[in-house]
Amino acid sequence: MESGNETTVKDFILLGLSQDKQLKGPLFLVFFVMYLTSLLGNLTIILTIWMDIHLQTPMFFFLSNLSFLDLCYSSVTVPKMLFSLLGLSTSISYAGCITQLYFYVSCCSTECLILSVMGYDRYVAICSPLHYSSIMRRNVCLRMAVLLWITGFLTSVIHTILTARLPFCRSHGINHFFCDIPPLLKLSCSSTFINEVVVLTVGGSLGLSSFLLTLVSYIHIISSILQIRSAAGRRKAFSTCASHLTVVTLFFGSISFMYMRPASSYSLKQDRVVSVFYAVVTPALNPIIYTLRNKEFKRALKKAASRSIASY
């Protein structure tokens, strides 16, 4: 421990994605467009599902939860990154940094759980269609959603408290575009062994259990689809879960790369690129992935657009 150098940290400096001034303008435009795409796309999904009675089903209920979560997810990190790229403010207060960390980890944890429950919903719909309405009742879905959000946000409390108790004395410059656990651990002048163990155990247990539930669900789904005799029937069944499977692969793949390994193997430059993918790109891609492949949603969106045009 370097206790002699320990100081009380009042703020941090977010070093961002790049120190090259020529890159900051193009990066700002790219991420500004992605953020707008995320906001507009996810808001469109939420409002369309809320307005159309035909979309009041468990699948779309959990999709609206995912879209709201993606709105929160990107809004926790992207606005501050955009300000930094413009050179308006690269500093973040200690309290602001810890708050950003808390909400970011909360959103990440909750998304793991929601994606796994969406996989379970598809499993029931395809493997037990006759019992779907009795298993996935509205009050059951509401209770599951509340439990998922509470679990995700309570899990984040553990990581946030353990990170906040660390003394930071090596540097005030966070080699990242937001306050995340790995770059903050790099700045601590005390042992981070407990933090690393908790990330691997608590975070790993939540992520692994969510992934395994999703994996088991899809093993049964694929098995059931293969038993369908007609090719058209197999395509229709698979199309109902293809979007979710794509999102699951993108999300769990990047999250596993970031957190399911010891801190000694972290490459902050490499991790920044991966963080951009799941914190900025994925929330922007999710609305596109779900809407382009879902005929029911596209019909509802066209109806909503027609009503809006007719009202003017």
Side-chain angles (χ1 to χ4, degrees), residues 221-288:
I221 288 170
I222 292 170
S223 177
S224 296
I225 290 175
L226 292 176
Q227 293 175 21
I228 299 175
R229 294 183 178 181
S230 68
R234 287 195 296 270
R235 283 196 299 271
K236 183 178 179 181
F238 185 74
S239 67
T240 64
C241 56
S243 299
H244 178 255
L245 186 58
T246 303
V247 172
V248 164
T249 303
L250 294 174
F251 182 80
F252 280 109
S254 55
I255 288 294
S256 299
F257 179 84
M258 276 294 296
Y259 298 106
M260 298 300 102
R261 54 200 174 102
S264 58
S265 66
Y266 286 135
S267 166
L268 290 177
K269 183 177 180 180
Q270 191 178 49
D271 290 352
R272 285 200 303 269
V273 176
V274 180
S275 296
V276 166
F277 187 78
Y278 69 78
V280 183
V281 178
T282 300
L285 283 179
N286 284 356
I288 299 171

Side-chain angles (χ1 to χ4, degrees), residues 10 13 42 77 286:
K10 293 183 179 180
I13 303 297
N42 286 298
T77 58
N286 284 356

Side-chain angles (χ1 to χ4, degrees), residues 8 20 22 25 56 65-66 102 126 131 141 191 195 206 216 229 234 239 244 282 287 294 302 310 312:
T8 301
D20 189 339
Q22 292 183 336
Q56 304 300 312
N65 272 263
L66 180 66
Y102 170 72
I126 293 174
H131 300 97
C141 292
S191 173
N195 298 70
L206 184 143
V216 170
R229 294 183 178 181
R234 287 195 296 270
S239 67
H244 178 255
T282 300
N294 194 292
K302 288 178 182 178
Y312 280 104

Side-chain angles (χ1 to χ4, degrees), residues 49-214:
I49 291 172
W50 181 68
M51 292 169 57
D52 197 301
I53 192 171
H54 298 100
L55 299 183
Q56 304 300 312
T57 63
M59 181 181 76
F60 287 107
F61 169 74
F62 287 114
L63 176 57
S64 65
N65 272 263
L66 180 66
S67 294
F68 180 71
L69 185 62
D70 281 337
L71 280 176
C72 300
Y73 206 3
S74 54
S75 296
V76 167
T77 58
V78 179
K80 183 62 180 176
M81 178 181 66
L82 293 176
F83 276 112
S84 297
L85 288 171
L86 286 176
L88 298 177
S89 175
T90 58
S91 65
I92 183 170
S93 67
Y94 177 83
C97 185
I98 295 301
T99 302
Q100 187 183 56
L101 172 69
Y102 170 72
F103 283 105
Y104 176 76
V105 176
S106 297
C107 292
C108 183
S109 302
T110 307
E111 183 146 349
C112 283
L113 297 169
I114 286 182
L115 287 173
S116 65
V117 170
M118 290 176 74
Y120 175 73
D121 171 73
R122 292 300 82 206
Y123 157 73
V124 177
I126 293 174
C127 300
S128 302
L130 298 179
H131 300 97
Y132 182 76
S133 58
S134 60
I135 295 174
M136 302 300 291
R137 299 188 306 276
R138 181 172 179 80
N139 62 333
V140 173
C141 292
L142 284 171
R143 289 172 186 170
M144 281 197 292
V146 171
L147 181 61
L148 297 179
W149 282 88
I150 291 174
T151 303
F153 276 69
L154 286 179
T155 300
S156 181
V157 171
I158 301 171
H159 299 295
T160 305
I161 291 175
L162 287 174
T163 304
R165 59 175 276 278
L166 293 173
F168 299 101
C169 56
R170 292 199 173 116
S171 170
H172 291 185
I174 299 176
N175 196 8
H176 215 303
F177 62 92
F178 68 95
C179 294
D180 197 7
I181 295 174
L184 282 173
L185 295 186
K186 289 282 188 180
L187 299 183
S188 177
C189 52
S190 67
S191 173
T192 59
F193 176 76
I194 295 176
N195 298 70
E196 294 174 39
V197 170
V198 170
V199 168
L200 288 171
T201 54
V202 177
S205 298
L206 184 143
L208 185 61
S209 59
S210 300
F211 175 75
L212 288 177
L213 176 59
T214 308

Side-chain angles (χ1 to χ4, degrees), residues 14-39:
L14 293 171
L15 301 180
L17 293 171
S18 174
Q19 297 302 306
D20 189 339
K21 292 183 179 180
Q22 292 183 336
L23 285 176
K24 289 188 176 183
L27 285 175
F28 173 83
L29 290 175
V30 169
F31 293 125
F32 180 70
V33 170
M34 285 187 179
Y35 184 53
L36 280 183
T37 302
S38 176
L39 291 180

